[in-house]
Amino acid sequence: MLIIMKTDAIESQIDTVVQRVEDMGLRAHLSKGEERTIIGAIGDGRPVMKDQFLYMPGVDRIVPITRPFKLASREFSPQDSVFPLDGVDIGGQGIVIIAGPCAVENRAQLLETAHAVKEAGAHALRGGAYKPRTSPYSFQGLGEEGLQILAEARAETGLPVITEVMTPEQVPLVCQYADVMQIGARNMQNYSLLHSVGESQHPALLKRGMMATIEELLMSAEYILSHGNRRVMLCERGIRTFENTTRNTTDINAIPVLKSMTHLPVILDPSHATGNWEFVTAIARAAIAAGADGLIVEVHPSPELALSDGGQSLKPERFVEMIAQVSAIAQAIGRCVAPSKAGLSTGCVHV
Ligand code: PEP
Ligand code: MN
């Protein structure tokens, strides 16, 4: 339930409403907008008498939230959530591009890739230090050494970094190095990890599980948001279907559907969604046409030597082409690729 305060409600009236919400055993989430304050009263599903709030001083009206996810819903926050990442707005009019290798393999590989993606116009660098691999015998990532290499690439290029965190125990360490913590598809319903990432108050990128519904993705986002951590972006990365020509099936529907259901930024990962570099650019274009706020793309200077996901990684020159094509699509729908540190942007066309 949302308690919408009057535009002229005073602080003490807001405090009294919050107190009553808490006295009823509910959680109060305050959202102070430019015009008015909205108090989200989050309970355990038991019915709450809305009249108990309706006649309190300063209260304008009560709006029930019908979705099982509350804080993630558009009802809770009709405006798109936008948060800055090192000067670039995530979820704003500009499309944000995150790129880099699947895994940090060594210093030279990461630094070369970091410079290449920066020159091409990427806004953030990706690279896994802790890798969730299907086989325990596959490369598992460099761990903390990988995080240190990411920090070096960040210092050299100025690009913020995003890297996966796999366990609650890793959260404090990964927070020290990463600008955004990635929760991978396999961990989308790792609830203790979601709680830890929420508690950290650190920006998060939450990937959709390969067999998760859109609603389950939003319920997982709700775990992070329930700790007051509002800097969450969602990522569609393809789901499992009967189709086995590609690694996954891009659920392109998920983009406009998510945008209608939630205020959170939505990005797409065309690399894992297709599993084949030949199709990455086409699906990147489709994502932007469908309304995605950004892309996370695997790029490797020598994909044939990659320790993971080489087959779906773009070479830097192909990544340059991808950005050019994505920019054209963005402009066609009144958006743009956000200005980058490389100074590449065609500028947003305001509609
Ligand atoms: C990755 O980003 O390299 C990754 C493992 O992705 P996902 O969790 O979507 O499989
Ligand atoms: Mn990968």
Side-chain angles (χ1 to χ4, degrees):
M1 175 174 86
L2 295 179
I3 304 163
I4 319 280
M5 301 301 290
K6 290 184 174 148
T7 46
D8 59 358
I10 56 172
E11 212 56 38
S12 62
Q13 292 172 333
I14 296 170
D15 291 346
T16 310
V17 173
V18 168
Q19 193 56 53
R20 170 143 335 157
V21 168
E22 290 174 353
D23 288 348
M24 291 175 78
L26 306 170
R27 278 211 257 176
H29 280 268
L30 221 61
S31 171
K32 289 200 177 200
E34 267 175 27
E35 271 195 14
R36 57 170 91 226
T37 295
I38 297 177
I39 301 161
I42 314 292
D44 56 8
R46 280 178 296 174
V48 178
M49 297 288 288
K50 67 176 192 176
D51 290 2
Q52 288 178 298
F53 294 97
L54 194 54
Y55 301 111
M56 290 182 75
V59 172
D60 183 13
R61 65 204 147 90
I62 307 291
V63 177
I65 301 185
T66 49
R67 307 274 196 190
F69 45 93
K70 309 288 178 197
L71 304 172
S73 71
R74 273 260 177 227
E75 289 161 308
F76 180 66
S77 184
Q79 304 287 331
D80 283 344
S81 281
V82 179
F83 63 86
L85 178 64
D86 203 29
V88 181
D89 277 344
I90 311 264
Q93 203 194 359
I95 307 275
V96 175
I97 298 181
I98 304 163
C102 178
V104 181
E105 297 169 2
N106 57 60
R107 199 172 160 269
Q109 168 249 13
L110 190 75
L111 292 180
E112 183 182 348
T113 316
H115 284 289
V117 300
K118 180 186 173 178
E119 289 312 304
H123 306 92
L125 174 68
R126 64 149 288 152
Y130 298 97
K131 293 302 304 174
R133 303 305 302 279
T134 304
S135 165
Y137 309 117
S138 303
F139 176 59
Q140 305 284 309
L142 295 181
E144 188 166 1
E145 189 194 341
L147 297 175
Q148 284 161 355
I149 298 173
L150 282 166
E152 196 179 336
R154 183 183 197 282
E156 270 203 17
T157 60
L159 290 180
V161 305
I162 163 156
T163 196
E164 181 156 355
V165 61
M166 284 172 51
T167 66
E169 295 71 33
Q170 287 167 357
V171 168
L173 183 70
V174 175
C175 275
Q176 278 176 37
Y177 290 96
D179 297 276
V180 178
M181 279 191 286
Q182 175 173 325
I183 298 168
R186 289 157 193 79
N187 272 317
M188 188 203 86
Q189 288 179 314
N190 179 341
Y191 299 116
S192 46
L193 179 62
L194 297 171
H195 277 302
S196 298
V197 169
E199 279 163 12
S200 76
Q201 304 299 332
H202 212 70
L205 186 162
L206 176 64
K207 293 185 115 184
R208 179 178 178 184
M210 59 192 83
M211 286 168 287
T213 64
I214 290 173
E215 191 169 296
E216 285 163 346
L217 171 63
L218 290 166
M219 292 307 294
S220 290
E222 191 78 11
Y223 270 80
I224 305 174
L225 297 170
S226 71
H227 291 277
N229 184 352
R230 303 278 168 88
R231 292 180 294 173
V232 179
M233 63 180 126
L234 305 175
C235 179
E236 166 62 40
R237 46 77 75 206
I239 50 172
R240 280 206 170 159
T241 67
F242 59 84
E243 180 53 68
N244 58 9
T245 317
T246 49
R247 180 174 180 179
N248 289 295
T249 297
T250 310
D251 182 6
I252 208 79
N253 295 0
I255 295 168
V257 170
L258 279 167
K259 294 295 292 181
S260 75
M261 292 168 87
T262 181
H263 51 89
L264 297 173
V266 178
I267 70 167
L268 186 121
D269 174 344
S271 311
H272 292 85
T274 60
N276 185 336
W277 69 266
E278 281 191 65
F279 309 124
V280 166
T281 300
I283 298 307
R285 292 194 306 257
I288 300 310
D293 299 305
L295 298 165
I296 178 164
V297 186
E298 288 184 339
V299 176
H300 198 290
S302 316
E304 66 285 0
L305 301 178
L307 296 181
S308 61
D309 288 349
Q312 64 190 35
S313 300
L314 292 181
K315 290 185 176 166
E317 56 271 27
R318 294 214 164 91
F319 178 61
V320 170
E321 280 169 26
M322 188 210 82
I323 294 199
Q325 294 186 17
V326 157
S327 297
I329 301 280
Q331 282 191 50
I333 57 163
R335 295 184 79 171
C336 64
V337 171
S340 70
K341 292 216 158 73
L344 302 174
S345 175
T346 41
C348 282
V349 182
H350 291 278
V351 284

Coordinates of all heavy atoms in Angstrom, one line a residue, residues 100-103 126 128 131-133 164 182 186 207 237 247 269 271-272 298 308-310 312-313, ligand 2:
G100 N 33.6 -5.8 -22.0 CA 34.8 -6.4 -21.5 C 34.8 -7.9 -21.6 O 33.8 -8.4 -22.1
P101 N 35.9 -8.5 -21.2 CA 35.9 -10.0 -21.3 C 35.0 -10.7 -20.4 O 34.6 -10.1 -19.4 CB 37.4 -10.3 -21.0 CG 37.8 -9.2 -20.1 CD 37.1 -8.0 -20.5
C102 N 34.7 -11.9 -20.7 CA 33.9 -12.7 -19.8 C 34.6 -12.8 -18.4 O 34.1 -12.5 -17.4 CB 33.7 -14.1 -20.3 SG 32.8 -15.3 -19.2
A103 N 35.9 -13.1 -18.5 CA 36.7 -13.3 -17.3 C 38.0 -12.5 -17.4 O 38.6 -12.3 -18.5 CB 37.1 -14.8 -17.1
R126 N 33.5 -4.6 -17.9 CA 33.1 -5.8 -17.2 C 34.2 -6.8 -17.2 O 35.2 -6.7 -18.0 CB 31.9 -6.4 -17.8 CG 32.0 -6.9 -19.3 CD 31.1 -8.1 -19.6 NE 31.6 -9.3 -18.9 CZ 30.9 -10.3 -18.5 NH1 29.6 -10.3 -18.7 NH2 31.4 -11.4 -17.9
G128 N 34.9 -10.9 -15.1 CA 34.7 -11.7 -14.0 C 35.9 -12.1 -13.3 O 36.9 -12.6 -13.9
K131 N 34.2 -16.8 -11.3 CA 33.3 -17.2 -12.4 C 32.5 -18.4 -12.0 O 33.0 -19.4 -11.6 CB 34.3 -17.7 -13.6 CG 35.0 -16.5 -14.3 CD 34.2 -15.4 -14.8 CE 33.1 -15.9 -15.8 NZ 32.2 -14.7 -16.2
P132 N 31.2 -18.4 -12.3 CA 30.3 -19.5 -12.0 C 30.4 -20.4 -13.2 O 29.8 -20.1 -14.3 CB 28.9 -18.9 -11.9 CG 29.0 -17.6 -12.7 CD 30.4 -17.2 -12.8
R133 N 31.1 -21.5 -13.2 CA 31.3 -22.4 -14.3 C 30.5 -23.7 -14.2 O 30.5 -24.2 -13.1 CB 32.8 -22.7 -14.6 CG 33.7 -21.5 -14.7 CD 33.3 -20.5 -15.8 NE 33.2 -21.1 -17.1 CZ 34.3 -21.3 -17.9 NH1 35.5 -20.9 -17.6 NH2 34.1 -21.9 -19.1
E164 N 31.3 -9.9 -11.1 CA 30.3 -10.8 -10.4 C 30.7 -11.1 -9.0 O 31.9 -11.3 -8.6 CB 30.2 -12.1 -11.2 CG 29.2 -13.0 -10.6 CD 28.5 -14.0 -11.6 OE1 28.8 -14.0 -12.8 OE2 27.8 -14.9 -11.1
Q182 N 27.8 -7.6 -9.9 CA 26.9 -8.4 -10.8 C 26.4 -9.6 -10.0 O 27.2 -10.3 -9.4 CB 27.7 -8.8 -12.0 CG 26.9 -9.7 -13.0 CD 27.7 -9.9 -14.3 OE1 28.4 -9.0 -14.8 NE2 27.6 -11.1 -14.8
R186 N 22.8 -17.7 -12.5 CA 22.8 -18.9 -11.6 C 22.5 -18.5 -10.1 O 22.2 -19.4 -9.3 CB 24.1 -19.7 -11.7 CG 24.2 -20.4 -13.0 CD 25.6 -20.7 -13.4 NE 25.7 -21.1 -14.8 CZ 25.7 -20.2 -15.8 NH1 25.7 -18.9 -15.6 NH2 25.9 -20.6 -17.0
K207 N 21.0 -10.3 -12.9 CA 20.7 -11.0 -14.2 C 19.5 -11.9 -14.0 O 19.4 -12.5 -12.9 CB 21.9 -11.7 -14.7 CG 23.1 -10.8 -15.1 CD 24.2 -11.5 -15.7 CE 24.4 -11.1 -17.2 NZ 25.5 -11.9 -17.8
R237 N 19.2 -11.9 -20.1 CA 20.4 -12.5 -20.7 C 20.1 -13.8 -21.5 O 20.9 -14.7 -21.7 CB 21.5 -12.7 -19.7 CG 21.1 -13.3 -18.4 CD 20.8 -14.8 -18.4 NE 22.0 -15.5 -18.4 CZ 22.1 -16.8 -18.9 NH1 21.0 -17.4 -19.4 NH2 23.3 -17.4 -18.9
R247 N 22.8 -20.6 -27.7 CA 23.0 -21.0 -26.3 C 21.7 -20.7 -25.5 O 21.4 -21.6 -24.6 CB 24.1 -20.1 -25.8 CG 24.5 -20.4 -24.3 CD 25.8 -19.6 -23.9 NE 26.1 -19.9 -22.5 CZ 27.1 -19.4 -21.9 NH1 28.0 -18.6 -22.5 NH2 27.3 -19.7 -20.7
D269 N 22.0 -8.5 -22.3 CA 23.3 -9.1 -22.5 C 23.2 -9.9 -23.8 O 22.7 -11.1 -23.7 CB 23.7 -9.9 -21.3 CG 24.9 -10.8 -21.5 OD1 25.4 -10.9 -22.7 OD2 25.5 -11.3 -20.5
S271 N 25.5 -11.3 -25.5 CA 26.5 -12.3 -25.6 C 26.0 -13.6 -25.1 O 26.0 -14.6 -25.8 CB 27.8 -11.8 -24.9 OG 28.1 -10.5 -25.2
H272 N 25.5 -13.6 -23.8 CA 25.0 -14.8 -23.2 C 23.6 -15.2 -23.9 O 23.3 -16.4 -23.9 CB 24.9 -14.7 -21.7 CG 26.3 -14.6 -21.1 ND1 26.9 -13.5 -20.9 CD2 27.1 -15.6 -20.6 CE1 28.1 -13.7 -20.4 NE2 28.2 -15.0 -20.2
E298 N 30.3 -9.0 -24.2 CA 31.6 -9.5 -24.0 C 32.5 -9.2 -25.2 O 32.1 -9.4 -26.3 CB 31.5 -11.1 -23.8 CG 30.9 -11.3 -22.4 CD 30.9 -12.8 -22.0 OE1 30.9 -13.7 -22.9 OE2 30.8 -13.1 -20.8
S308 N 37.2 -18.3 -21.3 CA 35.8 -18.6 -21.2 C 35.0 -17.7 -22.2 O 35.4 -16.6 -22.5 CB 35.2 -18.4 -19.8 OG 35.4 -17.0 -19.4
D309 N 34.0 -18.3 -22.8 CA 33.0 -17.6 -23.6 C 33.7 -16.8 -24.8 O 33.2 -15.8 -25.3 CB 32.2 -16.6 -22.8 CG 31.2 -17.3 -21.9 OD1 31.0 -18.5 -22.2 OD2 30.6 -16.7 -21.1
G310 N 34.8 -17.4 -25.4 CA 35.4 -16.8 -26.6 C 34.5 -16.8 -27.8 O 34.5 -15.8 -28.5
Q312 N 31.5 -16.3 -28.0 CA 30.4 -15.2 -28.1 C 31.0 -13.8 -27.9 O 30.3 -12.9 -27.7 CB 29.4 -15.5 -27.0 CG 29.9 -15.5 -25.6 CD 28.9 -16.0 -24.5 OE1 28.2 -16.9 -24.8 NE2 28.9 -15.4 -23.4
S313 N 32.3 -13.8 -27.8 CA 33.0 -12.5 -27.6 C 33.2 -11.7 -28.9 O 33.7 -12.3 -29.9 CB 34.3 -12.7 -26.8 OG 34.0 -13.3 -25.6
Ligands
MN2 MN 30.5 -15.0 -19.9

